[in-house]
């Protein structure tokens, strides 16, 4: 039974003929599966899970969502760029995006994707494996491109990890997302969120259970804001400096959306004390102060509302 659980995986859709040449013998065994899944509409079971499990996110806090995605954008591909604040925020963001009519595909680390049962289910649901620092890391970008070409809506954490700044504002991020946006011309929707870090502590020990139980009792506010598309039309792929400019605008948009979500807290530190969380990074915009001359500046979103079902 243990071996059957370890090797089990849901049925994979067939690989479209136009993608068969994209897979060669030297590719990892999962690459063809992920390409086939990326070329398909979201799995019915993933849609069902978003519908039925999203309310359960509120067991550990009050999910409050502002902003929206225009209907015409919900019908096509999207890049959703979110700040990463803790292990629970994936659930919070998934519930929030489902509430505004988006069915996200997530990038996930190779370790999670290799887990029995959960890994295959996540893969079949559109999860895209990221093996950072390996010779197959570039395969994730190829899967993302196929997903976007087929109308997929992909959630990316541009910081590449849980943010480790002392003040909690997003890190500078990487240029990979910016280059992807400039290459594909797919709209980039900034997703700002705060509060999920109170549900599961950073360190992987029994403290996670303690913080989860505490959150279930305290019901912290799990705030998410879905912003307007980041203006990138004046930038070009391959032009010197434009990838950095795009990255700056994306992180600026996420930071601006975050300002009202944490208006009740100090701007120079995280109010929730988590001694397991290291501090070894600098925010792109310390204190949440984004210069007005960064394109996309505008009024902050209204106070967080309620999750739309």
């Amino acid at each position: 039974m243990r071996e059957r659980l370890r090797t089990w995986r849901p049925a994979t859709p067939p690989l479209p003929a136009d993608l068969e040449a994209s897979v060669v013998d030297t590719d990892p065994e999962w690459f063809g599966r992920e390409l086939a899944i990326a070329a398909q509409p979201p799995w019915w079971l993933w849609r069902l899970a978003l519908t039925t499990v999203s309310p359960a996110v509120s067991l550990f806090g009050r999910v409050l969502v502002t902003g929206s995605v225009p209907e015409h954008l919900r019908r096509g591909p999207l890049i959703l760029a979110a700040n990463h604040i803790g292990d629970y925020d994936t659930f919070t963001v998934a519930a929030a995006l489902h509430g505004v009519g988006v069915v996200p595909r997530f990038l996930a680390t190779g370790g999670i994707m290799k887990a029995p049962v959960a890994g295959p289910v996540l893969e079949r649901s559109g999860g895209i494996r990221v093996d950072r620092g390996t010779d197959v890391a570039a395969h994730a970008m190829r899967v993302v491109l196929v997903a976007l070409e087929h109308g997929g809506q992909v959630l990316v954490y541009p910081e590449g990890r849980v943010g480790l700044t002392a003040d909690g504002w997003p890190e500078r991020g990487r240029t990979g997302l910016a280059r992807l946006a400039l290459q594909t011309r797919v709209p980039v929707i900034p997703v700002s969120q705060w509060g999920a870090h109170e549900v599961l502590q950073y360190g992987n020990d029994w403290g996670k259970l303690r913080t989860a139980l505490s959150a279930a009792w305290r019901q912290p506010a799990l705030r998410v804001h879905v912003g307007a598309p980041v203006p990138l039309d004046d930038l070009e792929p391959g032009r010197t400096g434009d990838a950095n400019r795009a990255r700056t605008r994306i992180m600026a948009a996420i930071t601006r959306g975050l300002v009202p979500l944490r208006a009740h807290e100090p701007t120079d530190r995280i109010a929730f004390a988590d001694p397991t969380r290291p501090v070894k990074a600098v925010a792109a915009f310390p204190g949440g102060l984004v210069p007005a001359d960064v394109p996309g500046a505008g009024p902050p979103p209204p106070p967080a509302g309620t999750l739309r079902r």
Side-chain angles (χ1 to χ4, degrees):
M1 176 62 72
R2 180 181 301 175
E3 181 63 19
R4 290 178 63 182
L5 286 175
R6 189 182 69 81
T7 59
W8 173 86
R9 66 182 56 259
T12 302
L15 184 67
D18 62 324
L19 292 177
E20 290 179 353
S22 300
V23 183
V24 299
D25 292 340
T26 55
D27 287 325
E29 55 88 20
W30 49 263
F31 182 57
R33 292 197 308 270
E34 291 202 4
L35 284 182
I37 293 167
Q40 296 290 320
W43 192 26
W44 67 268
L45 188 59
W46 176 230
R47 288 181 175 274
L48 178 63
L50 287 173
T51 300
T52 57
V53 177
S54 289
V57 174
S58 296
L59 292 174
F60 297 97
R62 296 167 288 117
V63 182
L64 309 171
V65 184
T66 52
S68 64
V69 178
E71 183 179 357
H72 70 281
L73 292 182
R74 296 201 302 268
R75 295 196 294 264
L78 292 173
I79 298 172
L80 303 139
N83 60 313
H84 200 3
I85 59 175
D87 291 341
Y88 195 70
D89 65 34
T90 298
F91 301 99
T92 305
V93 170
L97 291 176
H98 174 259
V100 299
V102 172
V103 182
R105 299 174 185 259
F106 289 86
L107 272 67
T109 62
I112 296 174
M113 299 294 273
K114 293 174 185 175
V117 183
V121 169
L122 179 59
E123 179 184 79
R124 182 62 185 86
S125 300
I128 300 170
R129 183 185 310 236
V130 181
D131 292 308
R132 295 189 180 91
T134 71
D135 56 356
V136 297
H139 285 65
M141 183 63 68
R142 294 163 66 186
V143 177
V144 169
L145 287 172
V146 170
L148 294 175
E149 289 168 0
H150 290 80
Q153 299 167 337
V154 181
L155 178 80
V156 180
Y157 292 115
E159 295 167 280
R161 65 180 182 186
V162 173
L164 299 179
T165 61
D167 57 11
W169 297 99
E171 296 180 24
R172 186 183 182 194
R174 308 185 183 194
T175 58
L177 169 59
R179 296 179 192 280
L180 175 67
L182 296 182
Q183 176 184 345
T184 62
R185 293 302 181 185
V186 169
V188 177
I189 304 295
V191 180
S192 310
Q193 45 111 8
W194 193 251
H197 58 296
E198 298 189 33
V199 178
L200 295 175
Q201 70 168 32
Y202 181 90
N204 291 315
D205 56 34
W206 285 103
K208 282 192 183 298
L209 177 60
R210 176 182 57 78
T211 53
L213 293 175
S214 174
W217 174 259
R218 294 184 296 108
Q219 289 290 291
L222 310 178
R223 297 180 170 92
V224 181
H225 177 71
V226 183
V230 181
L232 301 173
D233 291 346
D234 60 316
L235 305 181
E236 297 291 340
R239 190 165 66 188
T240 302
D242 275 8
N244 280 323
R245 294 183 186 96
R247 169 177 59 179
T248 297
R249 295 182 190 182
I250 292 168
M251 300 315 296
I254 295 172
T255 302
R256 288 189 182 108
L258 183 57
V259 169
L261 303 190
R262 51 177 298 183
H264 58 295
E265 294 191 9
T267 60
D268 60 347
R269 61 183 175 83
I270 300 173
F272 178 74
D274 181 356
T276 70
R277 179 180 174 275
V279 175
K280 54 182 180 180
V282 177
F285 302 99
L289 301 175
V290 180
D293 59 355
V294 177
T306 58
L307 176 62
R308 289 170 287 271
R309 299 296 184 193

